[in-house]
Protein backbone atom coordinates (compact mmCIF):
# COMPACT_ATOMS: atom_id res chain seq x y z
CA UNK A 1 0.00 0.00 0.00
CA UNK A 2 1.50 3.38 -1.00
CA UNK A 3 1.82 6.44 1.22
CA UNK A 4 -1.19 8.19 -0.31
CA UNK A 5 -3.41 5.18 0.30
CA UNK A 6 -2.22 4.91 3.90
CA UNK A 7 -3.03 8.57 4.51
CA UNK A 8 -6.47 8.13 2.96
CA UNK A 9 -7.19 5.09 5.17
CA UNK A 10 -6.02 6.93 8.27
CA UNK A 11 -8.27 9.88 7.44
CA UNK A 12 -11.50 7.91 7.07
CA UNK A 13 -10.73 5.74 10.08
CA UNK A 14 -10.12 8.84 12.17
CA UNK A 15 -13.51 10.19 11.10
CA UNK A 16 -15.13 7.14 12.71
CA UNK A 17 -12.95 7.33 15.81
CA UNK A 18 -14.01 10.95 16.32
CA UNK A 19 -17.72 10.42 15.69
CA UNK A 20 -19.85 8.10 17.87
CA UNK A 21 -22.77 8.93 15.60
CA UNK A 22 -20.93 7.60 12.53
CA UNK A 23 -20.10 4.47 14.52
CA UNK A 24 -23.80 3.93 15.27
CA UNK A 25 -24.74 4.49 11.64
CA UNK A 26 -22.14 1.97 10.48
CA UNK A 27 -23.36 -0.53 13.09
CA UNK A 28 -26.94 -0.27 11.78
CA UNK A 29 -25.77 -0.46 8.16
CA UNK A 30 -23.65 -3.51 8.93
CA UNK A 31 -26.62 -5.30 10.49
CA UNK A 32 -28.71 -4.60 7.39
CA UNK A 33 -26.02 -6.01 5.07
CA UNK A 34 -25.59 -9.07 7.31
CA UNK A 35 -29.36 -9.66 7.22
CA UNK A 36 -29.34 -9.56 3.40
CA UNK A 37 -26.42 -11.98 3.13
CA UNK A 38 -27.87 -14.36 5.72
CA UNK A 39 -31.17 -14.70 3.86
CA UNK A 40 -29.25 -15.87 0.79
CA UNK A 41 -26.85 -17.93 2.88
CA UNK A 42 -29.69 -19.72 4.66
CA UNK A 43 -31.24 -20.68 1.34
CA UNK A 44 -27.93 -22.06 0.10
CA UNK A 45 -27.36 -24.04 3.28
CA UNK A 46 -30.82 -25.58 3.57
CA UNK A 47 -31.36 -26.40 -0.09
CA UNK A 48 -28.16 -28.41 -0.34
CA UNK A 49 -28.41 -30.17 3.02
CA UNK A 50 -31.97 -31.29 2.29
CA UNK A 51 -31.02 -33.59 -0.61
CA UNK A 52 -27.30 -34.30 -0.10
CA UNK A 53 -27.78 -37.81 1.27
CA UNK A 54 -30.40 -38.66 -1.36
CA UNK A 55 -28.10 -37.54 -4.18
CA UNK A 56 -25.24 -39.65 -2.84
CA UNK A 57 -27.53 -42.68 -2.52
CA UNK A 58 -28.76 -42.24 -6.09
CA UNK A 59 -25.27 -41.87 -7.57
CA UNK A 60 -23.74 -44.71 -5.53
CA UNK A 61 -26.67 -47.09 -5.87
CA UNK A 62 -26.54 -47.89 -2.14
CA UNK A 63 -27.45 -46.21 1.13
CA UNK A 64 -24.35 -47.47 2.94
CA UNK A 65 -22.52 -44.20 2.25
CA UNK A 66 -25.53 -41.89 2.29
CA UNK A 67 -24.16 -40.26 5.42
CA UNK A 68 -20.99 -39.18 3.61
CA UNK A 69 -22.36 -35.81 2.39
CA UNK A 70 -23.11 -34.63 5.93
CA UNK A 71 -19.71 -35.82 7.13
CA UNK A 72 -17.88 -34.18 4.21
CA UNK A 73 -19.46 -30.76 4.40
CA UNK A 74 -19.15 -30.82 8.19
CA UNK A 75 -15.41 -31.44 7.86
CA UNK A 76 -15.24 -28.85 5.10
CA UNK A 77 -17.04 -26.35 7.27
CA UNK A 78 -14.59 -26.97 10.12
CA UNK A 79 -11.59 -26.20 7.89
CA UNK A 80 -13.37 -23.23 6.35
CA UNK A 81 -14.26 -21.78 9.77
CA UNK A 82 -10.56 -21.79 10.66
CA UNK A 83 -9.54 -20.22 7.33
CA UNK A 84 -12.33 -17.63 7.22
CA UNK A 85 -11.52 -16.56 10.77
CA UNK A 86 -7.87 -15.96 9.96
CA UNK A 87 -8.59 -14.37 6.60
CA UNK A 88 -11.09 -12.02 8.26
CA UNK A 89 -8.58 -11.15 10.97
CA UNK A 90 -6.00 -10.13 8.39
CA UNK A 91 -8.14 -8.53 5.68
CA UNK A 92 -11.44 -7.73 7.42
CA UNK A 93 -14.90 -9.30 7.57
CA UNK A 94 -15.77 -8.16 4.05
CA UNK A 95 -13.12 -10.19 2.27
CA UNK A 96 -13.14 -13.12 4.70
CA UNK A 97 -16.89 -13.73 4.59
CA UNK A 98 -17.21 -13.02 0.86
CA UNK A 99 -14.43 -15.52 0.10
CA UNK A 100 -16.11 -18.16 2.27
CA UNK A 101 -19.54 -17.81 0.65
CA UNK A 102 -18.19 -17.72 -2.90
CA UNK A 103 -16.06 -20.81 -2.20
CA UNK A 104 -19.19 -22.58 -0.96
CA UNK A 105 -20.96 -21.56 -4.16
CA UNK A 106 -18.13 -23.03 -6.24
CA UNK A 107 -18.50 -26.26 -4.26
CA UNK A 108 -22.23 -26.34 -5.07
CA UNK A 109 -21.42 -25.87 -8.78
CA UNK A 110 -19.05 -28.82 -8.46
CA UNK A 111 -21.85 -30.97 -6.99
CA UNK A 112 -24.11 -30.11 -9.95
CA UNK A 113 -21.30 -30.94 -12.38
CA UNK A 114 -20.61 -34.24 -10.59
CA UNK A 115 -24.28 -35.21 -10.79
CA UNK A 116 -24.48 -34.27 -14.47
CA UNK A 117 -21.48 -36.43 -15.39
CA UNK A 118 -21.98 -39.11 -12.70
CA UNK A 119 -18.57 -38.47 -11.11
CA UNK A 120 -18.63 -39.74 -7.51
CA UNK A 121 -15.12 -38.56 -6.63
CA UNK A 122 -15.94 -35.03 -7.82
CA UNK A 123 -19.16 -35.19 -5.79
CA UNK A 124 -17.28 -35.90 -2.56
CA UNK A 125 -14.62 -33.25 -3.22
CA UNK A 126 -17.30 -30.69 -4.09
CA UNK A 127 -19.34 -31.47 -0.97
CA UNK A 128 -16.22 -30.82 1.12
CA UNK A 129 -15.78 -27.43 -0.59
CA UNK A 130 -19.51 -26.72 -0.25
CA UNK A 131 -18.97 -26.86 3.51
CA UNK A 132 -17.28 -23.44 3.27
CA UNK A 133 -20.70 -21.91 2.69
CA UNK A 134 -22.20 -23.51 5.78
CA UNK A 135 -19.27 -22.35 7.93
CA UNK A 136 -19.44 -18.80 6.59
CA UNK A 137 -23.17 -18.69 7.17
CA UNK A 138 -22.47 -19.30 10.85
CA UNK A 139 -19.45 -16.97 11.00
CA UNK A 140 -21.43 -14.07 9.55
CA UNK A 141 -23.29 -13.74 12.85
CA UNK A 142 -20.14 -12.18 14.29
CA UNK A 143 -19.92 -9.35 11.75
CA UNK A 144 -22.85 -7.44 13.21
CA UNK A 145 -21.27 -7.45 16.67
CA UNK A 146 -17.94 -5.75 15.89
CA UNK A 147 -19.32 -2.26 16.53
CA UNK A 148 -22.10 -3.26 18.92
CA UNK A 149 -22.05 -2.00 22.50
CA UNK A 150 -21.68 -4.78 25.11
CA UNK A 151 -25.42 -4.68 25.82
CA UNK A 152 -26.24 -4.92 22.10
CA UNK A 153 -24.08 -7.89 21.16
CA UNK A 154 -26.49 -10.75 21.77
CA UNK A 155 -29.25 -8.82 20.02
CA UNK A 156 -26.98 -8.33 16.99
CA UNK A 157 -26.26 -12.08 16.94
CA UNK A 158 -29.95 -12.87 17.13
CA UNK A 159 -30.78 -10.58 14.19
CA UNK A 160 -28.36 -12.55 11.99
CA UNK A 161 -29.79 -15.88 13.14
CA UNK A 162 -33.41 -14.88 12.51
CA UNK A 163 -32.41 -13.73 9.03
CA UNK A 164 -30.97 -17.18 8.32
CA UNK A 165 -34.40 -18.65 9.10
CA UNK A 166 -36.05 -16.97 6.12
CA UNK A 167 -33.63 -18.56 3.67
CA UNK A 168 -33.56 -21.87 5.55
CA UNK A 169 -37.36 -22.14 5.29
CA UNK A 170 -37.48 -21.07 1.63
CA UNK A 171 -34.69 -23.44 0.50
CA UNK A 172 -36.37 -26.81 1.22
CA UNK A 173 -39.68 -25.53 -0.13
CA UNK A 174 -38.01 -24.89 -3.49
CA UNK A 175 -36.61 -28.43 -3.76
CA UNK A 176 -39.32 -29.71 -6.10
CA UNK A 177 -39.24 -26.56 -8.24
CA UNK A 178 -35.47 -26.73 -8.61
CA UNK A 179 -35.73 -30.47 -9.31
CA UNK A 180 -38.08 -29.77 -12.22
CA UNK A 181 -35.71 -27.09 -13.50
CA UNK A 182 -32.77 -29.49 -13.29
CA UNK A 183 -34.70 -32.14 -15.24
CA UNK A 184 -35.62 -29.53 -17.84
CA UNK A 185 -31.95 -28.70 -18.50
CA UNK A 186 -31.00 -32.37 -18.61
CA UNK A 187 -29.39 -33.10 -15.25
CA UNK A 188 -30.60 -35.27 -12.32
CA UNK A 189 -33.49 -33.74 -10.39
CA UNK A 190 -31.67 -34.06 -7.05
CA UNK A 191 -28.93 -31.73 -8.34
CA UNK A 192 -31.51 -28.95 -8.68
CA UNK A 193 -31.31 -27.69 -5.08
CA UNK A 194 -27.55 -27.36 -5.45
CA UNK A 195 -28.13 -24.98 -8.37
CA UNK A 196 -30.09 -22.84 -5.91
CA UNK A 197 -27.33 -23.28 -3.32
CA UNK A 198 -24.67 -22.10 -5.80
CA UNK A 199 -26.62 -18.99 -6.76
CA UNK A 200 -27.58 -18.22 -3.15
CA UNK A 201 -24.06 -18.59 -1.71
CA UNK A 202 -22.47 -16.53 -4.49
CA UNK A 203 -25.09 -13.80 -4.08
CA UNK A 204 -24.46 -13.77 -0.31
CA UNK A 205 -20.74 -13.33 -0.98
CA UNK A 206 -21.29 -10.55 -3.51
CA UNK A 207 -23.63 -8.67 -1.16
CA UNK A 208 -20.88 -8.63 1.48
CA UNK A 209 -18.09 -7.86 -0.98
CA UNK A 210 -19.92 -4.93 -2.55
CA UNK A 211 -21.80 -3.41 0.37
CA UNK A 212 -19.93 -4.27 3.59
CA UNK A 213 -17.81 -1.14 3.59
CA UNK A 214 -16.35 0.43 5.62
CA UNK A 215 -15.38 -2.91 7.10
CA UNK A 216 -16.76 -3.13 10.68
CA UNK A 217 -13.84 -5.17 12.02
CA UNK A 218 -11.24 -2.74 10.65
CA UNK A 219 -13.11 0.16 12.24
CA UNK A 220 -13.41 -1.77 15.52
CA UNK A 221 -9.65 -2.39 15.52
CA UNK A 222 -8.99 1.32 14.98
CA UNK A 223 -11.33 2.22 17.85
CA UNK A 224 -9.57 -0.26 20.14
CA UNK A 225 -6.12 1.06 19.17
CA UNK A 226 -7.25 4.60 19.89
CA UNK A 227 -8.01 3.63 23.49
CA UNK A 228 -4.56 2.20 24.18
CA UNK A 229 -2.64 4.07 26.86
CA UNK A 230 0.79 3.65 28.45
CA UNK A 231 -0.60 4.32 31.89
CA UNK A 232 0.86 1.75 34.30
CA UNK A 233 -2.41 1.33 36.18
CA UNK A 234 -4.13 0.37 32.96
CA UNK A 235 -1.34 -2.13 32.31
CA UNK A 236 -2.16 -3.90 35.58
CA UNK A 237 -5.83 -3.85 34.71
CA UNK A 238 -4.98 -5.29 31.30
CA UNK A 239 -3.23 -8.29 32.90
CA UNK A 240 -6.24 -8.94 35.11
CA UNK A 241 -8.60 -8.54 32.16
CA UNK A 242 -6.57 -11.05 30.14
CA UNK A 243 -7.08 -13.73 32.81
CA UNK A 244 -10.80 -12.97 32.90
CA UNK A 245 -11.05 -13.10 29.13
CA UNK A 246 -9.33 -16.49 28.92
CA UNK A 247 -11.90 -17.94 31.31
CA UNK A 248 -14.69 -16.25 29.38
CA UNK A 249 -13.51 -17.78 26.11
CA UNK A 250 -13.26 -21.21 27.71
CA UNK A 251 -16.78 -21.02 29.12
CA UNK A 252 -18.26 -19.60 25.90
CA UNK A 253 -16.65 -22.37 23.85
CA UNK A 254 -17.80 -25.02 26.34
CA UNK A 255 -21.39 -23.76 26.18
CA UNK A 256 -21.48 -23.87 22.37
CA UNK A 257 -19.71 -27.22 22.05
CA UNK A 258 -21.89 -29.04 24.62
CA UNK A 259 -25.14 -27.66 23.22
CA UNK A 260 -24.07 -28.60 19.69
CA UNK A 261 -23.22 -32.19 20.65
CA UNK A 262 -26.51 -32.70 22.50
CA UNK A 263 -28.67 -31.07 19.85
CA UNK A 264 -27.13 -32.89 16.87
CA UNK A 265 -27.07 -36.27 18.63
CA UNK A 266 -30.75 -36.29 19.58
CA UNK A 267 -31.94 -34.58 16.39
CA UNK A 268 -30.04 -37.02 14.15
CA UNK A 269 -31.64 -40.12 15.62
CA UNK A 270 -35.18 -38.79 16.11
CA UNK A 271 -36.31 -39.50 12.50
CA UNK A 272 -34.89 -43.03 12.77
CA UNK A 273 -36.65 -43.54 16.12
CA UNK A 274 -39.93 -42.27 14.70
CA UNK A 275 -39.70 -44.43 11.57
CA UNK A 276 -39.06 -47.54 13.67
CA UNK A 277 -42.24 -46.85 15.64
CA UNK A 278 -44.55 -46.41 12.69
CA UNK A 279 -44.50 -42.65 12.09
CA UNK A 280 -44.68 -41.54 8.46
CA UNK A 281 -42.42 -39.13 6.60
CA UNK A 282 -44.94 -36.30 6.91
CA UNK A 283 -44.90 -36.67 10.70
CA UNK A 284 -41.11 -36.81 10.75
CA UNK A 285 -41.00 -33.69 8.58
CA UNK A 286 -43.35 -31.83 10.89
CA UNK A 287 -41.35 -32.67 14.02
CA UNK A 288 -38.01 -31.70 12.44
CA UNK A 289 -39.55 -28.56 10.94
CA UNK A 290 -40.76 -27.43 14.36
CA UNK A 291 -37.35 -28.28 15.79
CA UNK A 292 -35.56 -26.10 13.21
CA UNK A 293 -38.03 -23.27 13.79
CA UNK A 294 -37.30 -23.46 17.54
CA UNK A 295 -33.57 -23.28 16.78
CA UNK A 296 -33.82 -19.91 15.02
CA UNK A 297 -37.15 -18.11 15.39
CA UNK A 298 -36.84 -17.32 19.14
CA UNK A 299 -33.50 -15.60 18.49
CA UNK A 300 -34.68 -12.00 18.85
CA UNK A 301 -36.22 -12.74 22.25
CA UNK A 302 -33.18 -14.78 23.28
CA UNK A 303 -30.79 -12.02 22.24
CA UNK A 304 -32.77 -9.49 24.26
CA UNK A 305 -32.70 -11.77 27.31
CA UNK A 306 -28.97 -12.51 27.00
CA UNK A 307 -28.26 -8.77 26.89
CA UNK A 308 -30.70 -7.89 29.68
CA UNK A 309 -30.52 -10.73 32.23
CA UNK A 310 -26.99 -11.89 31.46
CA UNK A 311 -24.95 -14.54 29.69
CA UNK A 312 -24.68 -16.75 32.78
CA UNK A 313 -28.40 -17.08 33.42
CA UNK A 314 -29.19 -17.85 29.79
CA UNK A 315 -26.38 -20.42 29.56
CA UNK A 316 -27.83 -22.15 32.62
CA UNK A 317 -31.28 -21.91 31.01
CA UNK A 318 -29.80 -23.69 27.99
CA UNK A 319 -28.62 -26.61 30.10
CA UNK A 320 -31.93 -26.93 31.93
CA UNK A 321 -33.95 -26.69 28.71
CA UNK A 322 -31.82 -29.35 26.99
CA UNK A 323 -32.19 -31.60 30.05
CA UNK A 324 -35.98 -31.20 29.82
CA UNK A 325 -35.82 -32.08 26.12
CA UNK A 326 -33.77 -35.21 26.83
CA UNK A 327 -36.09 -36.39 29.60
CA UNK A 328 -39.21 -35.82 27.52
CA UNK A 329 -37.73 -37.53 24.44
CA UNK A 330 -36.70 -40.50 26.59
CA UNK A 331 -39.97 -41.00 28.45
CA UNK A 332 -42.63 -39.78 26.01
CA UNK A 333 -44.77 -42.62 24.63
CA UNK A 334 -43.39 -43.69 21.26
CA UNK A 335 -46.77 -43.09 19.60
CA UNK A 336 -47.12 -39.58 21.07
CA UNK A 337 -46.60 -36.91 18.43
CA UNK A 338 -47.20 -34.23 21.03
CA UNK A 339 -44.44 -35.58 23.28
CA UNK A 340 -41.87 -35.90 20.51
CA UNK A 341 -42.76 -32.53 19.00
CA UNK A 342 -42.45 -30.79 22.36
CA UNK A 343 -39.15 -32.55 23.09
CA UNK A 344 -37.64 -31.50 19.75
CA UNK A 345 -38.94 -27.94 20.16
CA UNK A 346 -37.26 -27.76 23.57
CA UNK A 347 -34.10 -29.22 22.03
CA UNK A 348 -34.02 -26.44 19.44
CA UNK A 349 -34.78 -23.77 22.03
CA UNK A 350 -32.03 -24.99 24.37
CA UNK A 351 -29.55 -24.93 21.48
CA UNK A 352 -30.66 -21.39 20.66
CA UNK A 353 -30.06 -20.26 24.25
CA UNK A 354 -26.63 -21.89 24.26
CA UNK A 355 -25.42 -20.62 20.90
CA UNK A 356 -26.38 -17.00 21.52
CA UNK A 357 -25.15 -16.83 25.13
CA UNK A 358 -21.94 -18.71 24.23
CA UNK A 359 -21.28 -16.49 21.22
CA UNK A 360 -21.81 -13.39 23.35
CA UNK A 361 -19.31 -14.71 25.91
CA UNK A 362 -16.73 -15.23 23.16
CA UNK A 363 -17.23 -11.69 21.82
CA UNK A 364 -17.03 -10.22 25.34
CA UNK A 365 -13.76 -12.06 25.92
CA UNK A 366 -11.89 -11.06 22.75
CA UNK A 367 -10.37 -7.84 21.49
CA UNK A 368 -10.66 -6.73 17.85
CA UNK A 369 -6.96 -7.54 17.34
CA UNK A 370 -7.60 -11.29 17.79
CA UNK A 371 -11.39 -11.59 17.64
CA UNK A 372 -11.97 -13.03 14.15
CA UNK A 373 -9.37 -15.78 14.31
CA UNK A 374 -10.49 -16.77 17.83
CA UNK A 375 -14.10 -16.94 16.65
CA UNK A 376 -13.02 -19.08 13.71
CA UNK A 377 -11.19 -21.49 16.00
CA UNK A 378 -14.22 -21.82 18.29
CA UNK A 379 -16.48 -22.49 15.31
CA UNK A 380 -14.10 -25.29 14.26
CA UNK A 381 -14.72 -26.90 17.64
CA UNK A 382 -18.47 -26.41 17.25
CA UNK A 383 -18.45 -28.03 13.79
CA UNK A 384 -16.40 -30.99 15.00
CA UNK A 385 -18.66 -31.31 18.04
CA UNK A 386 -21.65 -31.58 15.74
CA UNK A 387 -19.94 -34.23 13.64
CA UNK A 388 -19.00 -36.18 16.78
CA UNK A 389 -22.51 -35.92 18.18
CA UNK A 390 -24.01 -37.24 14.97
CA UNK A 391 -21.53 -40.12 14.71
CA UNK A 392 -21.84 -41.17 18.36
CA UNK A 393 -25.63 -40.99 18.37
CA UNK A 394 -25.95 -43.88 15.93
CA UNK A 395 -23.58 -46.05 17.95
CA UNK A 396 -25.41 -45.33 21.23
CA UNK A 397 -28.80 -46.18 19.76
CA UNK A 398 -27.45 -49.29 18.00
CA UNK A 399 -26.01 -50.66 21.25
CA UNK A 400 -28.69 -49.34 23.60
CA UNK A 401 -31.75 -47.24 22.76
CA UNK A 402 -33.04 -43.82 21.75
CA UNK A 403 -34.15 -43.29 25.37
CA UNK A 404 -30.59 -43.89 26.60
CA UNK A 405 -29.24 -41.41 24.04
CA UNK A 406 -31.76 -38.77 25.07
CA UNK A 407 -31.05 -39.23 28.79
CA UNK A 408 -27.29 -39.10 28.19
CA UNK A 409 -27.71 -35.93 26.16
CA UNK A 410 -29.77 -34.27 28.86
CA UNK A 411 -27.25 -35.16 31.57
CA UNK A 412 -24.37 -33.92 29.40
CA UNK A 413 -26.18 -30.60 28.87
CA UNK A 414 -26.63 -30.23 32.60
CA UNK A 415 -22.84 -29.97 32.93
CA UNK A 416 -23.27 -26.41 31.68
CA UNK A 417 -24.64 -25.40 35.07
CA UNK A 418 -21.55 -26.16 37.22
CA UNK A 419 -19.21 -24.89 34.47
CA UNK A 420 -20.96 -21.52 34.24
CA UNK A 421 -21.46 -21.17 38.00
CA UNK A 422 -17.77 -21.98 38.55
CA UNK A 423 -16.81 -19.31 36.04
CA UNK A 424 -18.96 -16.71 37.72
CA UNK A 425 -17.55 -17.49 41.16
CA UNK A 426 -13.97 -17.39 39.95
CA UNK A 427 -14.20 -14.40 37.67
CA UNK A 428 -16.83 -12.35 39.41
CA UNK A 429 -18.62 -11.30 36.26
CA UNK A 430 -22.15 -11.84 35.07
Amino acid sequence: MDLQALKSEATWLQSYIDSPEKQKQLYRRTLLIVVMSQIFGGAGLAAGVTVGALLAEEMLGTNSLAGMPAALFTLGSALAAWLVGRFSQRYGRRFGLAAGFITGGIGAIGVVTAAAFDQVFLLFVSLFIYGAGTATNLQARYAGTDLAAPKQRATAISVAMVSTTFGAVAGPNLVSVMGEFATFIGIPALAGPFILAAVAFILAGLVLLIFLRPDPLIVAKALADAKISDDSKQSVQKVEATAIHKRGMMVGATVMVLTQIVMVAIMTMTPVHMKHHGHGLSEVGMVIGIHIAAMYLPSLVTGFLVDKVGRTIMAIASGVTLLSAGLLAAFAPTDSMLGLTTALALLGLGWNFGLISGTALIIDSTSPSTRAKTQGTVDVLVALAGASGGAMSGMVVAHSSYATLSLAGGVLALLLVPVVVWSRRKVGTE
Side-chain angles (χ1 to χ4, degrees):
M1 186 179 292
D2 58 31
L3 183 60
Q4 187 62 35
L6 287 171
K7 287 182 178 179
S8 176
E9 181 180 30
T11 300
W12 71 257
L13 280 175
Q14 191 62 45
S15 70
Y16 281 92
I17 293 171
D18 295 338
S19 174
E21 184 57 35
K22 289 191 71 172
Q23 295 169 28
K24 292 178 183 177
Q25 290 174 357
L26 181 57
Y27 165 66
R28 290 192 290 266
R29 173 183 167 81
T30 298
L31 273 185
L32 178 61
I33 302 306
V34 168
V35 165
M36 292 171 59
S37 71
Q38 288 296 83
I39 292 173
F40 289 122
L45 167 67
V49 170
T50 304
V51 298
L54 297 175
L55 179 60
E57 183 178 5
E58 181 179 272
M59 290 179 64
L60 293 167
T62 175
N63 61 7
S64 61
L65 294 176
M68 281 294 288
L72 285 167
F73 57 66
T74 297
L75 290 174
S77 70
L79 176 61
W82 188 84
L83 292 173
V84 169
R86 276 151 182 75
F87 201 74
S88 297
Q89 190 67 61
R90 184 167 184 177
Y91 300 107
R93 298 283 188 197
R94 176 174 160 240
F95 288 111
L97 295 175
F101 271 130
I102 292 172
T103 300
I106 292 171
I109 292 171
V111 172
V112 175
T113 305
F117 293 97
D118 197 25
Q119 295 293 317
V120 174
F121 179 75
L122 178 60
L123 173 69
F124 288 163
V125 172
S126 299
L127 284 167
F128 182 82
I129 298 171
Y130 169 81
T134 67
T136 308
N137 196 72
L138 189 59
Q139 287 250 325
R141 76 191 189 279
Y142 291 115
T145 67
D146 288 323
L147 295 171
K151 290 296 184 181
Q152 294 177 312
R153 287 169 178 165
T155 301
I157 298 163
S158 67
V159 168
M161 290 183 63
V162 167
S163 305
T164 301
T165 310
F166 297 117
V169 169
N173 288 322
L174 293 173
V175 165
S176 60
V177 175
M178 293 307 300
E180 292 172 3
F181 174 74
T183 303
F184 176 75
I185 62 175
I187 63 176
L190 289 174
F194 282 96
I195 298 175
L196 173 61
V199 173
F201 277 156
I202 290 172
L203 283 175
L206 291 176
V207 165
L208 292 165
L209 186 63
I210 295 169
F211 297 110
L212 193 62
R213 57 175 77 191
D215 192 291
L217 183 59
I218 292 175
V219 174
K221 287 180 183 178
L223 291 171
D225 291 343
K227 294 179 181 178
I228 293 176
S229 169
D230 293 329
D231 186 89
S232 59
K233 181 178 179 181
Q234 287 190 354
S235 296
V236 173
Q237 291 173 340
K238 185 177 179 181
V239 171
E240 294 173 349
T242 299
I244 292 172
H245 288 167
K246 286 181 179 178
R247 291 192 180 99
M249 283 188 284
M250 182 182 71
V251 174
T254 300
V255 169
M256 286 195 283
V257 166
L258 284 178
T259 54
Q260 186 78 359
I261 290 174
V262 173
M263 186 277 291
V264 172
I266 297 176
M267 178 193 70
T268 298
M269 295 311 298
T270 296
V272 177
H273 171 72
M274 293 180 69
K275 185 178 178 181
H276 286 171
H277 289 88
H279 295 283
L281 287 177
S282 61
E283 293 173 309
V284 171
M286 186 187 75
V287 169
I288 297 301
I290 291 173
H291 166 70
I292 292 173
M295 287 173 63
Y296 291 100
L297 287 180
S299 294
L300 288 178
V301 175
T302 302
F304 174 81
L305 291 173
V306 171
D307 280 335
K308 292 299 180 182
V309 305
R311 282 65 162 141
T312 298
I313 292 176
M314 293 307 295
I316 292 173
S318 172
V320 173
T321 304
L322 290 171
L323 173 64
S324 302
L327 290 172
L328 187 55
F331 295 115
T334 56
D335 61 348
S336 172
M337 279 295 294
L338 178 61
L340 285 171
T341 301
T342 305
L344 268 290
L346 288 172
L347 186 69
L349 184 63
W351 177 86
N352 180 272
F353 290 169
L355 185 72
I356 294 180
S357 60
T359 300
L361 282 166
I362 294 294
I363 296 167
D364 292 343
S365 304
T366 52
S367 65
S369 61
T370 60
R371 182 170 293 159
K373 67 179 183 181
T374 301
Q375 292 163 345
T377 300
V378 171
D379 277 1
V380 170
L381 297 177
V382 173
L384 294 177
S388 301
M392 290 188 297
S393 64
M395 291 186 286
V396 171
V397 172
H399 291 89
S400 184
S401 66
Y402 176 77
T404 300
L405 173 70
S406 300
L407 284 174
V411 172
L412 182 62
L414 203 60
L415 290 176
L416 290 175
V417 177
V419 168
V420 175
V421 170
W422 168 84
S423 171
R424 184 170 185 173
R425 185 171 60 249
K426 288 282 186 180
V427 179
T429 59
E430 65 162 344

